[in-house]
Amino acid sequence: MANGDAQHHILSVLVENKFGVLSRVAGLFSRRGYNIFSLAVSPTEDERFSRMTVVVDAETAPLEQVTKQLNKLIPVIKITELAASDAVERELMLTTVRAGSESRSQVTELAAIFEAKIVDVGYEAMTLMIAGTPDKLDAITDLLTPFGIVELQRTGRIALSKLARQPTKLRAVRDREA
Amino acid sequence: MKLTGAQALIKSLEMEGTEVMFGLPGGAILPVYDPLIDSSIRHILVRHEQGAGHMAEGFAHATGRPGVAMVTSGPAATNIVTPLCDAYMDSVPIVVITGQVPYTVIGTDAFQECDTVGITMPVTKHNWLVTDPQDIPRIVREAFHVATTGRPGPVLVDVPKDVSNQMMDWYWPDSVDMPGYKPNVKGHPKQIKDAARLMAEAERPVIYAGGGILKARAADALRQLAELIGAPVVTTLMARGAFPDDHPQCLGMPGMHGNYTSVTSMQKADLLIALGSRFDDRVTGKVGSFAPGAKVIHVDIDPAELGKVRRPDVPIVGDCRLVIQELVKAVESEKHKRDWPDLDPWWHQLREWQERYPLHYEQLEDGPLKPQFCIDMLRDHTPDDTIVVAGVGQHQMWTSQRWKFNHPYTYVNSGGLGTMGFAVPASIGAKVGMPDRMVWAIDGDGCFQMTAQELVTASAERIPVKIGILNNAYLGMVRQWQELFYEERYSEVYLSPDLPDYVKWAEAMGCVGFRVDTPEDVEPTIEKANSIDDRPVVVDFRVDYKEKVYPMVPAGGSNDDIILDPAHDKPGGR
Ligand SMILES: Cc1ncc(C[n+]2csc(CCOP(=O)(O)OP(=O)(O)O)c2C)c(N)n1
Ligand SMILES: [Mg+2]
């Protein structure tokens, strides 16, 4: 399950909002044998650009090579490598949990503790929506598992660097900057 | 001025200085072939689209200018994928235009539709699908810019038929604006100083020159630096000629089939000065045991090459020519500050290796014709600035080892991809680009059969290339591996010396054909071939199939385990 440990790198990649860019980025990862752990693509405040938040598996992907190769893609404008400690990360999860009459109140209680929203209720189950850090989603998933998870979906994380500090130095292009 | 997309495309190619293009028309590109009739661009009609791509590459290799090819959609686009990949691996600037089915039917599996942009994404530096004829001048401008700047490479522009037919308002952009593409050409001053300092401390330096020297037109700068620091220079397959073979500091080719001194110099070096080279596995052998005692200075325009295989002590991102010029200045000022290390012991060692382990073969007067002998005779009986184009296999390695490349841009190769069939079309492209130079392709019998039909193109277009086939009746390089590593179990490598009959085939294609069976016929036949300048010539050299390429570092093995010709004594003291 997702967590913010050292196995993963978060790359925030600003790309031109053009036809085929996702395919170029995804293709580069598969071609070079890098595993993408999660990927979120969204428009930005500037309609010419989109932002991809790519979480890569550090085992398969030497970070420096990943960023250098990504930088060679022409629609890639800028890459920011976000260390977990320097980033605000959030992820959204929807999950349907078994919640019959005997367990419904317990599930509701858990939902309240985690500030989850109940977005759908059936006779035997309810669907929760939880936003938060990947750790928090991991935690509530663990706690909900004993009730019986029917379905679960996570968006993959999005991240921005924390404010009131220097933006993270892009370690990967040290060669160019040093 | 109103133009059709097709007219705008041709006009844009003219604006980019295109004088010649290689191609073959078809349905989706038909609109573009019409305005071509009225254009100043010479079009060379190929017999297979792979030929068009390799010709464009040969042209670019020989001239330094981008090669241009144009083909239709579907099967034509897939036929040109091999040359794109070849150009991508060897950083060759080519611009490929493909026709595409009308934009309105893309995605419907229309006749001859294929996802050309998708298929070629991994083998191009960048590619474009044109969706609006108004974009054509901008995209063509960008395409040439991307192909020729930074680390050069192939690009592709896919033009749907309806876009070619639609009208646009002509303009020519006076600049390119690509926010995500800004190659860094100037090396960082601090790194340059650090590099000069390492050079001033090295006792066993080696300059490891790669194809980037040629791409950056840095041969003169390289020579200046080499002479200044006195270090030996090894020239990789892609850099043969970047430093003259007749220069006393030149050690020749390193790598899997490099000569003993070149390979071993890197193993024993205390400093590798890698200039426009990329630590390819065919050079390094087993990476873990490559040049174990060497510090590394690595200069490349592509930041991703620095640290990809070997972590450099001093990485320098920049254009090889500009960086080397700066290095020369930095070394000069370093030389004022201190005594330069004495490289005599190093040179003494290198000369001893050269003497002890030269390349070796034997041509007996009445024995079978040796391929190495043919190459030596070609080398000695052609002009010094002859452009040599090799296929892929044993003949390529012998040529790389034995030819004396004394000028840059005289050796055209498929290095990274190792594409059999490269030589015939690439030599045609080279000759088109350099019509006043003699162009000899040295090809294998296997390679020749893959793209020989382009000699029809050469005859029709009066492009007098010369092809020497080192006909050993085998897929020789594969045979060599089966002999050495598969207990002489030969699997599917026999071709036959006389099926096809190469002389008749040459004649059928409008060329002059010669056959050479004996050593004494070699020289006179070369002289005859050299005297023909109105059509292509093919010489079928019937050579000994038993010859193997030595030295050899087995694939994945360490460079320390280099195998010499068994006729030689083994290198001792390891
Ligand atoms: C298109 C392609 N197919 C297969 C190979 C594998 N291969 C490398 S060398 C070689 C043999 C080449 O035979 P030939 O042209 O006769 O040259 P020789 O080695 O005999 O000199 C083969 C099959 C290749 N490099 N390219
Ligand atoms: Mg052969």
Side-chain angles (χ1 to χ4, degrees):
Chain A
M1 264 293 141
N3 47 40
D5 63 32
Q7 321 294 13
H8 299 110
H9 301 304
I10 311 167
L11 297 175
S12 176
V13 186
L14 191 67
V15 298
E16 282 184 85
N17 183 10
K18 274 192 184 155
F19 168 87
V21 175
L22 175 61
S23 158
R24 284 179 205 279
V25 171
L28 181 124
F29 276 85
S30 67
R31 187 158 83 243
R32 300 259 169 199
Y34 309 147
N35 270 342
I36 297 182
F37 187 83
S38 78
L39 174 67
V41 190
S42 54
T44 63
E45 63 286 355
D46 183 337
E47 64 173 18
R48 289 171 301 163
F49 305 118
S50 321
R51 186 176 303 280
M52 296 189 182
T53 308
V54 195
V55 182
V56 291
D57 173 0
E59 284 272 299
T60 63
L63 185 60
E64 179 177 320
Q65 265 299 304
V66 176
T67 50
K68 282 177 166 179
Q69 296 293 352
L70 270 179
N71 254 322
K72 282 166 63 170
L73 295 179
I74 283 161
V76 169
I77 309 290
K78 189 173 176 232
I79 304 169
T80 316
E81 178 207 337
L82 299 168
S85 56
D86 291 341
V88 185
E89 301 175 63
R90 290 296 180 270
E91 200 176 349
L92 185 69
M93 177 168 96
L94 286 176
T95 181
T96 299
V97 189
R98 244 181 263 292
S101 50
E102 72 293 345
S103 60
R104 184 168 296 162
S105 60
Q106 283 170 281
V107 173
T108 321
E109 228 169 89
L110 261 178
I113 296 170
F114 279 87
E115 293 175 331
K117 277 213 173 100
I118 296 162
V119 290
D120 199 11
V121 183
Y123 293 110
E124 296 295 330
M126 57 173 68
T127 300
L128 309 182
M129 176 185 86
I130 312 107
T133 62
D135 281 348
K136 175 177 163 182
L137 304 196
D138 288 351
I140 191 169
T141 306
D142 282 350
L143 292 165
L144 288 172
T145 302
F147 298 101
I149 289 178
V150 184
E151 265 188 298
L152 183 148
Q153 241 190 71
R154 294 168 68 150
T155 56
R157 66 190 89 171
I158 54 173
L160 288 175
S161 46
K162 279 188 185 164
L163 296 176
R165 58 168 74 214
Q166 287 280 96
T168 321
K169 258 269 155 74
L170 188 44
R171 265 195 273 152
V173 292
R174 193 197 296 132
D175 293 334
R176 203 196 300 212
E177 291 186 344
Chain B
M1 177 173 48
K2 289 267 182 208
L3 295 182
T4 64
Q7 290 167 331
L9 179 58
I10 293 297
K11 196 167 166 65
S12 300
L13 292 173
E14 289 169 356
M15 292 298 286
E16 284 294 344
T18 308
E19 285 161 13
V20 55
M21 61 202 286
F22 307 92
L24 193 148
I29 198 75
L30 262 170
V32 188
Y33 268 82
D34 185 74
L36 185 62
I37 297 175
D38 308 315
S39 166
S40 60
I41 300 173
R42 173 183 183 194
H43 181 275
I44 289 171
L45 176 63
V46 300
R47 266 49 180 179
H48 185 295
E49 292 87 354
Q50 183 187 357
H54 291 319
M55 286 178 204
E57 287 188 88
F59 178 91
H61 271 290
T63 64
R65 284 177 279 141
V68 182
M70 182 160 78
V71 302
T72 191
S73 67
T78 56
N79 274 348
I80 210 160
V81 171
T82 300
L84 283 170
C85 189
D86 192 271
Y88 189 65
M89 293 289 271
D90 287 342
S91 310
V92 187
I94 63 171
V95 177
V96 172
I97 312 288
T98 46
Q100 182 54 279
V101 300
Y103 194 60
T104 48
V105 301
I106 283 183
T108 66
D109 303 316
F111 179 62
Q112 294 193 328
E113 175 177 0
C114 93
D115 177 10
T116 304
V117 165
I119 287 174
T120 60
M121 223 174 249
V123 294
T124 51
K125 192 169 161 189
H126 195 58
N127 58 17
W128 291 257
L129 173 65
V130 186
T131 56
D132 180 343
Q134 201 58 38
D135 293 340
I136 286 174
R138 174 182 59 81
I139 289 178
V140 170
R141 180 97 210 247
E142 288 178 358
F144 276 80
H145 180 68
V146 170
T148 55
T149 55
R151 177 178 186 166
V155 297
L156 179 140
V157 181
D158 199 24
V159 191
K161 191 171 186 177
D162 48 356
V163 174
S164 294
N165 284 327
Q166 287 154 12
M167 302 304 289
M168 55 85 69
D169 286 312
W170 172 256
Y171 65 101
W172 184 244
D174 36 40
S175 63
V176 285
D177 174 28
M178 305 182 77
Y181 181 69
K182 300 231 155 53
N184 194 353
V185 295
K186 276 189 70 182
H188 196 287
K190 180 182 167 293
Q191 251 103 333
I192 286 173
K193 241 184 232 148
D194 288 351
R197 212 166 298 134
L198 281 188
M199 291 180 202
E201 285 159 7
E203 287 169 358
R204 296 184 310 282
V206 174
I207 295 177
Y208 161 26
I213 296 282
L214 294 173
K215 301 292 166 3
R217 321 245 23 118
D220 288 342
L222 168 62
R223 185 172 179 149
Q224 223 185 331
L225 179 70
E227 289 176 353
L228 188 63
I229 64 174
V233 181
V234 303
T235 47
T236 67
L237 179 70
M238 297 313 293
R240 303 285 293 120
F243 189 73
D245 274 325
D246 61 3
H247 193 289
Q249 281 168 252
C250 191
L251 300 187
M253 187 172 74
M256 180 176 268
H257 291 296
N259 68 72
Y260 181 86
T261 309
S262 183
V263 173
T264 309
S265 71
M266 297 173 95
Q267 289 305 96
K268 305 292 183 203
D270 64 355
L271 178 66
L272 279 186
I273 304 161
L275 305 174
S277 46
R278 61 182 178 88
F279 294 79
D280 179 66
D281 55 274
R282 284 301 191 258
V283 168
T284 62
K286 198 166 137 203
V287 175
S289 55
F290 173 65
K295 291 200 168 153
V296 173
I297 298 166
H298 194 174
V299 181
D300 205 287
I301 192 140
D302 178 358
E305 286 305 331
L306 306 182
K308 184 182 80 178
V309 175
R310 169 92 171 233
R311 168 129 322 256
D313 298 86
V314 180
I316 304 178
V317 177
D319 173 87
C320 263
R321 189 171 53 82
L322 300 179
V323 172
I324 294 173
Q325 284 167 352
E326 290 305 311
L327 281 170
V328 165
K329 286 186 214 156
V331 167
E332 274 165 350
S333 86
E334 204 63 36
K335 276 197 153 178
H336 287 303
K337 279 189 243 160
R338 56 167 112 191
D339 288 337
W340 205 255
D342 175 16
L343 300 187
D344 281 354
W346 181 221
W347 274 110
H348 182 78
Q349 172 70 82
L350 295 169
R351 295 295 179 225
E352 186 193 304
W353 287 332
Q354 282 180 324
E355 206 154 296
R356 218 162 130 202
Y357 308 111
L359 294 171
H360 173 267
Y361 81 98
E362 217 173 332
Q363 176 65 65
L364 299 177
E365 223 168 279
D366 50 356
L369 180 59
K370 298 291 182 179
Q372 298 97 322
F373 177 73
C374 300
I375 291 170
D376 286 3
M377 295 309 262
L378 274 167
R379 176 194 66 201
D380 297 341
H381 295 92
T382 48
D384 193 41
D385 65 353
T386 298
I387 295 173
V388 183
V389 184
V392 171
Q394 292 180 310
H395 61 282
Q396 173 192 29
M397 290 300 123
W398 286 315
T399 307
S400 310
Q401 292 177 334
R402 310 196 67 82
W403 204 275
K404 294 284 172 238
F405 296 102
N406 294 330
H407 306 279
Y409 314 105
T410 52
Y411 195 30
V412 178
N413 250 275
S414 165
L417 196 62
T419 309
M420 286 175 69
F422 175 79
V424 169
S427 65
I428 295 170
K431 181 74 182 172
V432 169
M434 292 296 201
D436 299 333
R437 301 271 287 279
M438 187 176 282
V439 176
W440 267 97
I442 299 183
D443 212 2
D445 46 330
C447 290
F448 182 80
Q449 292 187 53
M450 289 203 176
T451 50
Q453 78 282 349
E454 294 312 333
L455 285 171
V456 178
T457 307
S459 293
E461 294 276 343
R462 303 254 161 223
I463 305 164
V465 291
K466 305 180 198 307
I467 317 287
I469 305 171
L470 296 183
N471 175 7
N472 56 6
Y474 273 95
L475 297 170
M477 186 57 94
V478 184
R479 183 188 193 281
Q480 171 164 346
W481 286 49
Q482 290 177 348
E483 179 178 337
L484 296 176
F485 309 120
Y486 291 87
E487 296 154 347
E488 298 179 43
R489 285 162 52 85
Y490 297 116
S491 177
E492 302 299 324
V493 286
Y494 180 65
L495 294 177
S496 156
D498 49 15
L499 178 66
D501 180 324
Y502 292 98
V503 172
K504 281 193 192 150
W505 191 6
E507 288 166 358
M509 293 188 288
C511 312
V512 179
F514 296 115
R515 175 164 302 128
V516 176
D517 295 287
T518 57
E520 68 268 15
D521 277 351
V522 173
E523 192 198 320
T525 308
I526 291 170
E527 298 295 358
K528 263 192 277 177
N530 285 346
S531 68
I532 296 169
D533 205 32
D534 60 346
R535 71 195 72 188
V537 187
V538 176
V539 185
D540 171 16
F541 293 102
R542 295 278 178 89
V543 299
D544 186 2
Y545 70 94
K546 289 206 195 75
E547 268 315 300
K548 288 185 284 297
V549 186
Y550 288 113
M552 176 171 197
V553 178
S558 159
N559 280 351
D560 291 330
D561 300 329
I562 184 169
I563 305 170
L564 294 173
D565 189 323
H568 261 129
D569 55 344
K570 291 270 173 225
R574 278 183 296 105

